[in-house]
Amino acid sequence: MKFIHTADIQIGARYAQFGEKAGIPRAARLSTLKRILEIAREQDADAVLIAGDMFESNQIANAQVNEAFAALAARPEIPVVILPGNHDPLDGPGCIWMREPFANPPDHVTVCLSREPIPIADAIVLPVPITQKVSTKDPSLPLVEMAGQITRDRIKIGMTHGALAIDGKHQPSDQPIALDAATRAKLDYLAVGHWHKPQVYDDGRLAMSGTPEPDDFDQDSGSVALVEISAPGHKPVITQLDSAKFCWQSVTVDLLNRQPSPDIITASIQATATPPDATVLRIELVGPVSPEHRETLVSAIDRIAQDYAVVRVDDRTSTVLSESLWKACLQEHPLLAQAVADVGRARLFNTGCTPTVDTSAIEQLTLDEFQSLCDDLKIETQQLRDDAFEAMMALLAAEVGKAGTGCGAA
Amino acid sequence: MRCRVKLESITLRNTGPFTDGVTVGPLADGLNVLTARNEAGKTTLLIAATRALFDRHNVSGDAMERLRPAGTSLAPDITVIFVTTEGRFKIHKTFLNSPLSELSEDRDGTWHAISDGDAADGKVLELIGGERSGRGASKAEHWGLLRYLWARQGETVDWPAWDDNAGARIRTGLAQVQIDPLVERLADQFRDMQAAQFTSTGRVAKNSPLQQAQQTCERLASELADVRSKMEEIENQSQQLMQLRDELLVRDREKTEADKQADALTETLKQVELLQKDLERFQSDFETAQERLNAVHNEKKTLDEAKAELDKAQKELAEHQSRQKHAQKEEQAAGQALTSLQNDARALRKRIESTRKRETRLHEIQGLRVTERDLETLRKQFTTVRNQQRNIDQLRRKRAALPDVSNRQVIKLEQIDQEIRDLGIRAEAVGLRVALTPKQDVTLVADRDDTEETLDIATGKTETIIATRVLRLHLPEWGDLQIASGAEEAAEIEQRIGARQSALEAELKKCGVTSIDSARTILEQLKDLDKEIKTAETRLVELLENRDDPQSLAADVEEHEAAIEKLRAHLDITKTETALSQAELKAELTVIRTALETEEAAWATLQDATETQSKRLEICGATRFETLTAVNEIKQRIASLTSRAATIEGRHTEGIDKAEESAQTAFVEAKAQLNVARKKMPPDWEKLEARHERALKSAGQAATEHQHLQQKTQRLEAFLEQSGSQGLYSRETRLQESLVSAETECKRIQDHALAARFLAGLIDYRKKAAVSTVLQPLEDQLSATFADITGIHNRRVFLDENLQVAGIGRKREETYAFDQLSQGAREQLLLALRAAVALELAKTGPQLLILDDVLVNTDATRQENVLDFIGNLAQHVQVLIVTCHGERYRGIGENIGIRPN
């Protein structure tokens, strides 16, 4: 018996962190389903077992459901067993499995609407579908009785969905599955879904396949398990096969004591081998950046973003003035320098960030003055978040930069 | 900076009122006072000097025409000598007819022409810091610093705006307020940025990008909440469906159970119905046997009781018949005794009535005699009353005959008489009267008509000493003093006596008497008569005894006489009765009354006896009737009992005991059969029917509830089936993703707008702080000068960033605005400001300050202060005061006049 064990495809998943670009990673999950079927064909698998959470929710749009169904229907040579999970539980007539088109699937697609054993090749698949989103019960318990009714000459494969009962790693209501659930039920293999990172327990008989498509940065996932069981009682051979469309990569670019340039960013990204158009990239910018370099940085990132599937920039830099620029500003535009210093002080009062330039030679804005100024301007001090101060610094620093250049030229 | 100038002299010809040449000057370096009457041409002189300094020589127009002497076509000719930092210069200009401009410079005491024509005009402007005017004559704004330092008569007291180049130079020079143009531009840029998002009050501006972004966020959040609400509802419905399904299973089981129970009870009920029929039959047999047994028992008991009662009744009959006979005898005896008593009573009654009549007659006779006695008494009383009435009438007549002298009149007569006598005594005593009032206590001897008397007179007290003829006073430590009598007083007293005597006589006549004694006598008589009349009247009242008058007494007499007459006619008294004395009458009456009492007592006793006997007779009758009734009743009872016993014995011919035994046997057998039937019935069989009904009802309810739940479940399933296909999660996902983007954008806009608003405000704040810092020295100087002039040192002058007077007060926030100040204060304040400007300018070169009668509203005290201040000012600045009030500036500075050439 050779089959593909996967779970948590979560078609229709949400990626709010990407805003308007969320559609790209979402669409990828449907592509991944097709990719899994392709892998099954390549591996000549007897079946594909989807151990729960094929869909993100029972209430995703019909278009996505229909598309997924079409993908399955397009591969009639590959038997597919679908187990409802906690995201798409078998909880009533409104669930995906009770509605069209899955209410009447083609012969090669089996939706586990009950615990009825399903014969596949020389094995019997014993499913325990999930009927509610949360439960403190171990869904693998019925497998003991179910497996007891199967003759010993058949390979017994259990299927269910829930967290692994590892202390401190699961919620009590997360349908915890005992780590020896396969042995306890005398199963040859127990296919489990829920956690997105692949892992194996119970002497290689209980496996969490992990999600076939990553949905977070630095998540060790994006594969399916190819499982081979030669005969009843024999130990399964599990091989993880890549299935992901996108590689999620996060790079941190620290600008401290560095001149921002496209090279800095590309150098950081090159650590991964995935092509840019198959990468969801997060660029985290930290450290100080001078006004004269910020523009360079922004245009460099814009250029890079064109090549990558999705790019998200977390800009945590702070605008600073170089010492020479600051001195020139102090000398030529004392009032502007005073404003820069005042913004630094106000930022200190409101956010605790210390000023990045030495303002000791300038009159210090007092807390009372800051409060009074805000009152006069009808601004609540808590409205002034760090981003607002950063915007102030950027506005001022840009002008200081221009003026500083002018001074230098003079 | 070429803006410093000092005037040395002004020379005019053919200008204004000065057709002939006049010169003003030389002006001193310090204070100069140009005094001249009104219309003397002082202001014209100054205007002419400014024309020479600031106007092109070939300019024309109304302003220049006004320089000509009135009604002439003479060309104004003006020469001004002035000193700048560049040196000493002389400008000579002729306007209008033959324009001319010549500029000379003093070199080692000799004038050297350095330029002429337009060049000379331009050079002068350069030297004194003026500005070239357009086509016409120059205006104040072209006069450079002189615009600010020439306080012109008749102009408003407002300080000119610093809106020209000279003003800007002064601002820069004085306050050194330099706002960085870069910062100004930035501030404008920030203001524009924030104004695009916020209103002036800090609210989000309508239709601004920020508002649009916020509205987008709100719309998305609202839609998201709506979708989530629907999802939550689906979730709830889903939960409800799960519960319903569980409940449906339970109901299903309950329904099956209820049906089973109802069926079992139906079967049991059928069996019970058959058994119940047997039971009812045995029950009926048992009840019949029981009734039969009870009937025989009762009849036996009734027969025994009837026989016992028959014996008892016969005994009672005999006893009552005996009592009946005895009662008849008693009744006869009582009737005879009652008849005897009634006869005795009738005889006694007749006797009592006879005795009572006799007693009444004697009593009336006795009353007649009492009435006769009363009549006699009344007659006597009437006689006495009549006599008393006559006596009173007599006394009254006697009193009426006497004069009517009252006690008051007698007293008055006596008073007049006493007065006459007193006056007589005084007339006799009239002679000497001396009044002494010593200054200290004194004792003296008075000899009055040869009678000596020692008198002690206290200090300050007046002692009057009178003597008829001669009075001698022996005064200690002085000697004797003799005083003779006076006749006038005697004559006066005589006159008064005469008058009083006439009054006495008139009063006597009025009283109807001849003398006072006679009046007194008559008065006594009157009093006695009044007393007697009063006593007689009192006696009369007593005699009348509560009657109003004697006529009432007479009526009483007549009434008694009539009553006696009537009684006599009624009684028709016999001679024997008439012969009876009062005592005899009384004694006979007593005897009769005693006899009457005895008879009445006997009558009462007889009545009691009769009543007792009557009651006895009644009791005997009742007893007889009672015994007769009882006898009859007992006879009836005996008959009834005899009949009843015969009936019972007739029904049971075999005998009552045997009949009872037979009924007992039948009862025991029926009871045994009933017990056997009862044991065959199931337990609580009586309740089975109710239970069966209940079970049927329960099964029906279970079926209804099951059906209801089933329908509800089907509805929910239909709802969920329909809801599931709405794709709400996907909609929520898209909305949330859009919301995140919108919120990020909204936050970005808001942060940038807030940043711009804060920065614009911050720059304004720092700019004001900078201005305030550099303005402070000027404000210090200005405040000190103003305080010197006004004498008020506890207030300060504040300037705004445009170097305008912001106000006066103790604090910048609490000032009086310039407009609120008096005209005088405004003049003085502007003088102080001009002085401050001039002093500042004088630090780098010669400087002129012209004051053209500008302090007309200043009072004398402040005028002195102004003079002190100007005196000090003139040590640094050339001051030219032009005035028609020379007396105000007397004693200070150089007094210059308009000197003819």
Side-chain angles (χ1 to χ4, degrees):
Chain A
M1 171 71 175
K2 184 161 75 171
F3 60 94
I4 299 291
H5 168 201
T6 185
D8 301 290
I9 305 172
Q10 293 181 221
I11 294 166
R14 180 177 301 162
Y15 295 97
Q17 68 270 36
F18 296 121
E20 300 297 342
K21 291 182 181 174
I24 297 169
R26 184 160 46 247
R29 303 196 85 81
L30 196 62
S31 305
T32 304
L33 174 64
K34 294 173 186 171
R35 170 77 183 135
I36 292 166
L37 295 172
E38 184 61 32
I39 292 170
R41 191 193 60 78
E42 287 168 5
Q43 298 295 331
D44 195 21
D46 295 317
V48 174
L49 307 187
I50 303 174
D53 289 356
M54 178 173 159
F55 292 99
E56 173 73 2
S57 164
N58 269 330
Q59 294 176 38
I60 64 167
N62 283 343
Q64 293 176 64
V65 176
N66 292 336
E67 208 170 342
F69 184 83
L72 295 175
R75 292 284 188 170
E77 73 278 15
I78 304 169
V80 179
V81 179
I82 304 170
L83 183 91
N86 66 316
H87 275 266
D88 49 6
L90 191 65
D91 60 358
C95 74
I96 286 174
W97 318 115
M98 307 284 276
R99 295 192 269 128
E100 290 296 337
F102 280 96
N104 294 296
D107 291 342
H108 71 287
V109 176
T110 306
V111 178
C112 303
L113 300 179
S114 67
R115 294 172 188 169
E116 191 72 26
I118 303 162
I120 295 178
D122 53 350
I124 292 287
V125 174
L126 303 168
V128 182
I130 300 300
T131 56
Q132 56 200 68
K133 288 183 178 173
V134 289
S135 172
T136 55
K137 290 181 185 170
D138 181 347
S140 69
L141 278 174
L143 288 169
V144 177
E145 189 184 345
M146 290 162 69
Q149 294 172 357
I150 308 298
T151 54
R152 290 185 179 179
D153 58 339
R154 301 295 293 269
I155 296 170
K156 288 176 272 189
I157 300 168
M159 267 181 89
T160 192
H161 189 89
L164 296 177
I166 301 170
D167 286 345
K169 288 194 173 179
H170 71 94
Q171 297 295 323
S173 62
D174 218 4
Q175 320 204 62
I177 298 166
L179 294 179
D180 62 347
T183 313
R184 183 176 62 189
K186 297 186 173 61
L187 297 172
D188 293 297
Y189 184 80
L190 176 56
V192 177
H194 191 51
W195 285 353
H196 290 196
K197 182 182 172 185
Q199 38 209 298
V200 177
Y201 286 91
D202 202 5
D203 195 26
R205 293 184 185 281
L206 188 158
M208 184 80 80
S209 64
T211 179
E213 183 67 34
D215 59 359
D216 204 354
F217 295 101
D218 303 323
Q219 185 185 62
D220 185 11
S221 63
S223 61
V224 295
L226 174 66
V227 185
E228 287 182 83
I229 306 170
S230 53
H234 284 212
K235 191 174 177 181
V237 178
I238 303 170
T239 311
Q240 289 296 136
L241 302 173
D242 289 340
S243 58
K245 178 175 182 181
F246 289 134
C247 170
W248 288 49
Q249 191 187 2
S250 178
V251 293
T252 301
V253 181
D254 192 346
L255 299 168
L256 183 64
N257 300 325
R258 295 170 78 180
Q259 294 287 331
S261 68
D263 296 344
I264 297 176
I265 298 165
T266 48
S268 303
I269 298 167
Q270 275 171 0
T272 66
T274 51
D277 61 350
T279 304
V280 175
L281 182 62
R282 176 175 67 186
I283 302 171
E284 193 176 19
L285 298 172
V286 295
V289 61
S290 59
E292 62 267 32
H293 291 143
R294 181 178 288 282
E295 205 171 322
T296 311
L297 197 62
V298 169
S299 54
I301 290 172
D302 286 346
R303 258 197 319 278
I304 291 166
Q306 290 171 3
D307 300 332
Y308 282 80
V310 181
V311 174
R312 177 181 160 191
V313 180
D314 289 349
D315 187 352
R316 297 200 180 88
T317 57
S318 53
T319 305
V320 294
L321 295 172
S322 65
E323 198 176 334
S324 60
L325 204 56
W326 174 240
K327 281 181 179 171
C329 179
L330 268 176
Q331 197 172 354
E332 294 298 322
H333 304 287
L335 200 55
L336 185 58
Q338 179 70 59
V340 172
D342 288 343
V343 169
R345 288 280 291 174
R347 192 176 194 173
L348 175 66
F349 294 143
N350 242 29
T351 67
C353 288
T354 49
T356 51
V357 290
D358 179 14
T359 59
S360 56
I362 296 180
E363 187 180 345
Q364 301 287 300
L365 183 77
T366 65
L367 183 58
D368 286 345
E369 283 177 315
F370 171 55
Q371 189 65 56
S372 170
L373 190 58
C374 286
D375 290 347
D376 290 346
L377 295 170
K378 309 261 188 310
I379 296 174
E380 297 287 335
T381 50
Q382 62 266 28
Q383 282 182 283
L384 295 173
R385 294 168 292 222
D386 195 51
D387 288 345
F389 285 110
E390 185 54 37
M392 290 181 210
M393 280 304 292
L395 287 167
L396 288 175
E399 292 302 323
V400 172
K402 288 179 203 167
T405 309
C407 288
Chain B
M1 193 180 292
R2 291 175 176 177
C3 51
R4 313 290 185 251
V5 66
K6 196 162 71 174
L7 284 181
E8 191 174 304
S9 68
I10 305 165
T11 301
L12 307 180
R13 196 164 60 84
N14 297 334
T15 305
F18 309 112
T19 310
D20 299 328
V22 292
T23 298
V24 172
L27 275 66
D29 283 350
L31 179 58
N32 301 275
V33 180
L34 172 58
T35 308
R37 58 177 173 76
N38 281 330
E39 308 290 331
K42 301 184 293 295
T43 304
T44 304
L45 197 74
L46 292 173
I47 289 172
T50 56
R51 293 290 172 220
L53 290 171
F54 296 103
D55 280 276
R56 286 176 284 113
H57 64 286
N58 50 3
V59 74
S60 57
D62 289 345
M64 305 312 292
E65 288 294 336
R66 281 198 292 273
L67 284 178
R68 289 187 204 268
T72 69
S73 58
L74 297 171
D77 186 303
I78 307 162
T79 303
V80 179
I81 300 173
F82 61 96
V83 179
T84 73
T85 47
E86 303 290 320
R88 183 167 175 258
F89 299 92
K90 179 172 75 176
I91 178 69
H92 171 224
K93 286 186 183 177
T94 303
F95 292 102
L96 298 174
N97 296 356
S98 47
L100 171 73
S101 177
E102 290 175 345
L103 177 65
S104 306
E105 185 181 9
D106 178 16
R107 293 177 186 161
D108 301 326
T110 308
W111 291 110
H112 291 272
I114 55 173
S115 59
D116 59 1
D118 290 342
D121 293 344
K123 180 66 179 175
V124 172
L125 287 177
E126 187 184 332
L127 286 169
I128 63 176
E131 289 178 28
R132 193 175 294 277
S133 62
R135 292 174 61 188
S138 68
K139 294 176 183 171
E141 53 264 35
H142 303 116
W143 296 350
L145 293 173
L146 200 58
R147 177 187 179 190
Y148 305 102
L149 301 178
W150 178 9
R152 281 162 291 165
Q153 183 186 22
E155 285 191 355
T156 60
V157 292
D158 292 338
W159 184 250
W162 303 87
D163 53 359
D164 55 5
N165 292 338
R169 283 201 297 278
I170 289 176
R171 277 202 297 182
T172 306
L174 287 181
Q176 295 176 340
V177 177
Q178 291 185 0
I179 302 304
D180 189 340
L182 171 65
V183 175
E184 291 283 12
R185 181 175 58 74
L186 263 183
D188 289 343
Q189 182 186 327
F190 294 149
R191 270 190 285 274
D192 291 345
M193 281 171 71
Q194 75 91 26
Q197 310 294 351
F198 294 118
T199 65
S200 58
T201 57
R203 296 188 177 195
V204 177
K206 203 173 176 183
N207 296 325
S208 63
L210 180 55
Q211 194 193 42
Q212 287 169 3
Q214 284 178 338
Q215 285 170 344
T216 303
C217 288
E218 283 168 11
R219 180 179 53 77
L220 288 170
S222 169
E223 287 178 20
L224 193 59
D226 189 38
V227 168
R228 281 177 177 161
S229 168
K230 284 180 184 168
M231 289 174 73
E232 196 175 340
E233 190 190 348
I234 290 169
E235 183 66 31
N236 289 338
Q237 300 281 24
S238 184
Q239 293 286 337
Q240 207 176 338
L241 179 64
M242 301 288 278
Q243 289 171 1
L244 277 174
R245 281 177 171 169
D246 291 345
E247 205 176 338
L248 199 60
L249 286 173
V250 173
R251 288 279 183 272
D252 201 32
R253 280 198 295 273
E254 283 176 359
K255 180 175 168 291
T256 310
E257 192 63 31
D259 288 344
K260 274 183 190 172
Q261 207 172 352
D263 292 347
L265 278 169
T266 306
E267 189 59 34
T268 311
L269 262 181
K270 280 180 187 170
Q271 294 169 3
V272 166
E273 274 175 18
L274 293 173
L275 288 171
Q276 202 176 357
K277 282 177 185 169
D278 291 344
L279 184 66
E280 281 170 0
R281 185 162 49 79
F282 290 128
Q283 180 71 33
S284 175
D285 292 349
F286 170 73
E287 283 169 4
T288 307
Q290 193 173 30
E291 280 171 12
R292 170 75 184 153
L293 181 60
N294 287 342
V296 173
H297 267 313
N298 290 339
E299 281 183 340
K300 189 185 176 195
K301 194 178 170 186
T302 307
L303 186 61
D304 291 347
E305 283 172 358
K307 284 178 178 174
E309 278 185 25
L310 196 61
D311 292 344
K312 192 181 167 187
Q314 282 171 345
K315 284 177 187 171
E316 283 177 4
L317 181 65
E319 190 184 340
H320 277 86
Q321 283 171 340
S322 169
R323 282 175 63 191
Q324 188 185 9
K325 283 177 187 171
H326 178 72
Q328 278 174 340
K329 282 180 186 173
E330 282 279 316
E331 190 180 13
Q332 282 173 357
Q336 288 168 357
L338 181 62
T339 309
S340 172
L341 282 170
Q342 283 170 339
N343 291 336
D344 291 348
R346 277 194 290 275
L348 185 56
R349 191 74 249 168
K350 282 181 184 172
R351 279 205 307 275
I352 288 170
E353 282 172 3
S354 171
T355 308
R356 191 164 284 161
K357 279 181 184 172
R358 180 62 185 162
E359 190 260 341
T360 304
R361 182 173 179 80
L362 288 174
H363 183 71
E364 284 175 349
I365 292 168
Q366 194 177 30
L368 176 63
R369 290 190 176 175
V370 169
T371 307
E372 284 171 347
R373 238 186 355 260
D374 289 347
L375 177 63
E376 193 61 30
T377 307
L378 281 171
R379 281 174 179 161
K380 285 180 185 172
Q381 191 178 348
F382 182 69
T383 307
T384 309
V385 165
R386 201 165 50 194
N387 291 339
Q388 191 66 24
Q389 185 69 49
R390 284 183 192 134
N391 184 32
I392 289 167
D393 292 344
Q394 194 177 354
L395 285 169
R396 281 180 178 157
R397 282 195 298 275
K398 197 174 175 183
R399 191 189 184 287
L402 288 171
D404 193 12
V405 177
S406 69
N407 193 36
R408 192 175 53 79
Q409 286 173 321
V410 172
I411 290 168
K412 191 174 179 183
L413 286 170
E414 285 175 345
Q415 280 177 347
I416 295 170
D417 183 54
Q418 184 63 41
E419 284 175 15
I420 292 167
R421 278 189 282 126
D422 287 347
L423 285 168
I425 292 167
R426 274 189 65 190
E428 285 176 7
V430 165
L432 304 173
R433 178 190 298 260
V434 174
L436 294 176
T437 308
K439 288 184 178 175
Q440 57 188 16
D441 293 350
V442 66
T443 302
L444 58 86
V445 177
D447 182 355
R448 281 186 284 198
D449 302 330
D450 301 330
T451 302
E452 286 192 352
E453 185 186 2
T454 302
L455 298 170
D456 293 324
I457 307 171
T459 307
K461 187 181 175 187
T462 302
E463 181 72 27
T464 305
I465 305 166
I466 301 169
T468 50
R469 296 183 312 279
V470 178
L471 176 63
R472 293 187 190 85
L473 295 173
H474 305 290
L475 303 170
E477 296 180 3
W478 192 82
D480 296 339
L481 175 66
Q482 182 172 331
I483 301 163
S485 71
E488 284 183 11
E489 190 180 359
E492 183 195 339
I493 292 170
E494 280 297 325
Q495 192 179 355
R496 285 176 65 186
I497 290 171
R500 293 317 291 166
Q501 279 176 340
S502 298
L504 181 62
E505 284 168 5
E507 200 63 34
L508 285 170
K509 194 175 178 183
K510 194 175 169 184
C511 293
V513 292
T514 55
S515 66
I516 295 173
D517 290 339
S518 171
R520 282 189 192 118
T521 306
I522 289 168
L523 184 62
E524 287 302 316
Q525 286 175 348
L526 283 171
K527 282 180 181 175
D528 290 344
L529 281 170
D530 287 341
K531 203 170 179 181
E532 282 178 37
I533 290 166
K534 195 173 180 182
T535 307
E537 284 174 345
T538 306
R539 176 60 187 154
L540 181 61
V541 169
E542 287 170 358
L543 288 171
L544 286 171
E545 290 180 339
N546 297 327
R547 295 182 184 86
D548 293 337
D549 47 33
Q551 285 73 26
S552 300
L553 188 57
D556 283 352
V557 170
E558 286 172 5
E559 192 181 333
H560 274 74
E561 285 171 349
I564 288 167
E565 190 64 29
K566 192 177 175 184
L567 204 55
R568 275 180 180 160
H570 167 68
L571 289 172
D572 190 18
I573 300 168
T574 64
K575 287 182 181 175
T576 312
E577 286 170 341
T578 309
L580 281 174
S581 67
Q582 188 68 20
E584 286 169 338
L585 189 60
K586 198 172 179 182
E588 191 177 347
L589 194 57
T590 306
V591 170
I592 287 171
R593 282 177 177 165
T594 307
L596 191 58
E597 282 174 8
T598 307
E599 285 168 356
E600 288 285 354
W603 167 255
T605 306
L606 203 56
Q607 283 296 311
D608 289 344
T610 304
E611 195 175 341
T612 306
Q613 204 59 38
S614 293
K615 282 180 182 174
R616 189 185 159 204
L617 183 60
E618 279 176 18
I619 290 166
C620 288
T623 306
R624 183 179 54 80
F625 182 74
E626 189 181 327
T627 50
L628 181 63
T629 308
V631 165
N632 290 336
E633 280 178 0
I634 292 166
K635 280 179 180 174
Q636 284 175 0
R637 205 162 76 216
I638 288 170
S640 169
L641 286 169
T642 307
S643 168
R644 196 188 306 166
T647 306
I648 294 169
E649 283 169 343
R651 274 205 297 272
H652 302 285
T653 52
E654 78 276 21
I656 191 74
D657 292 334
K658 279 194 177 176
E660 188 185 25
E661 192 181 333
S662 171
Q664 183 74 35
T665 307
F667 173 75
V668 171
E669 285 173 359
K671 191 173 182 183
Q673 280 180 327
L674 179 64
N675 285 339
V676 170
R678 274 184 179 160
K679 281 179 183 170
K680 286 181 182 172
M681 297 298 282
D684 290 340
W685 62 271
E686 299 94 336
K687 299 175 185 173
L688 278 177
E689 196 166 340
R691 285 180 185 172
H692 181 244
E693 279 179 20
R694 205 160 58 230
L696 287 174
K697 199 172 176 183
S698 172
Q701 284 176 350
T704 308
E705 285 174 15
H706 183 268
Q707 190 183 4
H708 176 69
L709 275 176
Q710 216 164 18
Q711 288 168 352
K712 203 170 172 184
T713 307
Q714 284 164 358
R715 280 200 301 275
L716 269 180
E717 283 173 349
F719 169 79
L720 288 171
E721 196 172 350
Q722 188 264 335
S723 304
S725 60
Q726 289 179 0
L728 289 176
Y729 183 84
S730 298
R731 276 175 63 193
E732 183 199 13
T733 297
R734 283 196 299 278
L735 284 169
Q736 195 172 352
E737 287 164 357
S738 300
L739 181 61
V740 168
S741 297
E743 281 176 343
T744 306
E745 178 61 9
C746 182
K747 186 172 166 295
R748 189 192 64 75
I749 296 172
Q750 189 177 22
D751 286 340
H752 272 75
L754 279 172
R757 188 174 178 82
F758 184 79
L759 286 174
L762 182 66
I763 289 172
D764 281 347
Y765 172 72
R766 281 303 179 196
K767 210 167 76 178
K768 280 180 186 170
V771 168
S772 174
T773 304
V774 294
L775 277 182
Q776 197 167 348
L778 187 59
E779 284 178 348
D780 289 347
Q781 192 173 30
L782 189 54
S783 300
T785 304
F786 189 57
D788 286 344
I789 293 171
T790 59
I792 301 170
H793 293 271
N794 61 352
R795 59 185 181 180
R796 188 173 166 79
V797 181
F798 296 101
L799 299 175
D800 64 15
E801 60 186 298
N802 297 316
L803 292 183
Q804 297 295 316
V805 175
I808 296 173
R810 296 184 181 211
K811 294 179 183 174
R812 189 176 288 276
E813 300 79 26
E814 300 167 8
T815 58
Y816 289 102
F818 185 73
D819 294 347
Q820 291 176 282
L821 301 176
S822 70
Q823 189 79 0
R826 279 195 271 178
E827 283 176 358
Q828 292 143 23
L829 186 56
L830 290 180
L831 170 62
L833 184 55
R834 286 190 168 94
V837 172
L839 278 169
E840 194 63 32
L841 294 173
K843 287 177 183 172
T844 54
Q847 190 55 55
L848 168 66
L849 177 64
I850 302 170
L851 304 174
D852 188 356
D853 249 352
V854 291
L855 298 171
V856 291
N857 292 303
T858 301
D859 62 34
T861 307
R862 290 195 179 180
Q863 179 73 19
E864 286 302 318
N865 293 338
V866 168
L867 294 182
D868 291 342
F869 164 70
I870 291 174
N872 289 330
L873 178 67
Q875 292 176 14
H876 310 284
V877 176
Q878 183 190 38
V879 180
L880 173 57
I881 296 171
V882 179
T883 181
C884 59
H885 300 286
E887 71 281 1
R888 290 192 176 185
Y889 303 96
R890 215 165 272 154
I892 63 163
E894 294 296 325
N895 195 356
I896 57 171
I898 301 171
R899 180 163 46 81
N901 292 332

